[in-house]
Amino acid sequence: MYSTAIKFALQIVLSIFFLYYVFSNVEVGKVKELILSIDPYTLLLSAFIVFMGTVVIQSAQIYLTLVEKNKYDYYSLCKINIIIMFYSFWLPTILVAGIRWVRYKALLNTPGLAIRLIGFHKLIQIIISLLGFLVAGFFIKDNLPVILKNSLAVGLVAFIILSVYFIFFLSKSFLSFFKGPRFVNGLKDKSDNVNWFLLRIYRVFSFLSEFKDLHLKDKILVLLLAVAQHGCIVLSAYLVLLGFDSNAPFWPVLFCRSMLVILFIFPLSLSGVGLREYIYFIILPIYGVDPANAASAAFCMLGIQLLMASIGGLVDLFNYRKC
């Protein structure tokens, strides 16, 4: 708990630092004018797209992942995902993961399955985000700072490793080796250190093993929905930026949003506050976007995130009062 408090404090400090950097290098008055001048329907449409991606589509992904779908309620999954948006805005990542596990466990009545669902969909999200990051990086690499150019190589390696792992654990023949008697009996003939290592390999490749039993159609739909979810995240951000700059380029937005999804996995700042604004502010102007427009778009996305969190909080409060 003590270490969690320290990490939480560090996230707050980093959020303040990122925001301070943006506010110190942009005309605050101009940003305020721009935000007040944007078409509210653009913001509402963007908020709706965010809701579709993070609640409706994500819940459909989870539902399709369940082998025995008739036992569970899709609407309940939607409710959990909108409620999680409230906690993810205010709490450290590790606590949010715990809350998500508790909610899924209560719905599924299987603690292990709840953990595996979270891991399964997080893995898909990372792979799709890396793909978006690499594709966008290919089109804008000429003007990227050196550190970001180098990050493309790291991203490519990570994408290959995770993609191979994803294909392997969905492969029945591959998993049958790790679950077969030859592998299990072979552990008895190894030293303690080798046993420890092999058992860790077994757990890594088998903790999501039941998903291999999904129908091929469901596997394809889950992947397509993952792409659609990421598309919603990118499209919502691009629509907001177009509200400030009708000539805004698309590829830098895809690059920024994909990179942010990956960075949000690591709790660098509190709910991504400050980090998103910083990334927008340093990258988008390289491709012709006015810094004030970039900052305004980032703050509008923060407002949409807060709106989604507020809706999630109200839904959870309503549930609590019903109980």
Side-chain angles (χ1 to χ4, degrees), residues 51 75-76 78-84 86-87 103 308-322:
F51 178 84
Y75 172 73
S76 297
C78 289
K79 197 156 58 171
I80 290 174
N81 283 321
I82 186 63
I83 289 172
I84 289 299
F86 168 75
Y87 292 104
R103 298 301 176 100
M308 294 293 107
S310 301
I311 294 173
L314 290 174
V315 171
D316 204 25
L317 179 62
F318 180 74
N319 284 343
Y320 179 78
R321 294 186 63 181
K322 282 179 65 178

Side-chain angles (χ1 to χ4, degrees), residues 160-272:
I160 292 173
I161 293 174
L162 291 177
S163 297
V164 170
Y165 167 58
F166 181 77
I167 293 171
F168 275 3
F169 82 63
L170 285 182
S171 168
K172 294 185 180 182
S173 58
F174 185 82
L175 282 170
S176 64
F177 167 73
F178 284 101
K179 289 195 156 185
R182 179 181 300 178
F183 177 81
V184 176
N185 293 333
L187 292 177
K188 301 175 183 178
D189 302 325
K190 305 293 191 282
S191 66
D192 290 340
N193 289 335
V194 175
N195 257 326
W196 182 90
F197 177 72
L198 291 175
L199 282 172
R200 292 305 180 278
I201 294 178
Y202 169 75
R203 288 171 183 171
V204 166
F205 284 102
S206 65
F207 83 110
L208 297 174
S209 58
E210 68 258 34
F211 299 119
K212 76 181 188 303
D213 296 324
L214 290 173
H215 293 298
L216 179 61
K217 181 185 71 173
D218 288 339
K219 291 178 182 178
I220 294 174
L221 283 175
V222 166
L223 288 175
L224 290 177
L225 286 173
V227 174
Q229 181 191 3
H230 191 68
C232 286
I233 293 172
V234 175
L235 179 60
S236 63
Y238 188 53
L239 282 177
V240 170
L241 184 59
L242 287 176
F244 297 109
D245 182 356
S246 59
N247 296 316
F250 171 75
W251 295 115
V253 177
L254 175 59
F255 183 83
C256 289
R257 290 302 295 170
S258 299
M259 180 167 61
L260 283 169
V261 171
I262 298 167
L263 291 177
F264 285 169
I265 296 170
F266 310 98
L268 298 177
S269 65
L270 184 61
S271 301

Side-chain angles (χ1 to χ4, degrees), residues 123 126-128 130-131 134 152-168 205:
L123 175 62
I126 295 172
I127 292 173
I128 298 299
L130 282 170
L131 180 60
L134 293 170
L152 289 174
V154 176
L156 179 60
V157 173
F159 175 76
I160 292 173
I161 293 174
L162 291 177
S163 297
V164 170
Y165 167 58
F166 181 77
I167 293 171
F168 275 3
F205 284 102

Side-chain angles (χ1 to χ4, degrees), residues 256-318:
C256 289
R257 290 302 295 170
S258 299
M259 180 167 61
L260 283 169
V261 171
I262 298 167
L263 291 177
F264 285 169
I265 296 170
F266 310 98
L268 298 177
S269 65
L270 184 61
S271 301
V273 176
L275 179 61
R276 170 182 40 246
E277 291 72 24
Y278 177 77
I279 293 295
Y280 271 46
F281 188 74
I282 65 172
I283 292 181
L284 293 183
I286 297 175
Y287 301 94
V289 177
D290 185 89
N293 288 336
S296 300
F299 285 119
C300 284
M301 293 306 300
L302 174 61
I304 291 173
Q305 184 183 4
L306 181 58
L307 173 63
M308 294 293 107
S310 301
I311 294 173
L314 290 174
V315 171
D316 204 25
L317 179 62
F318 180 74

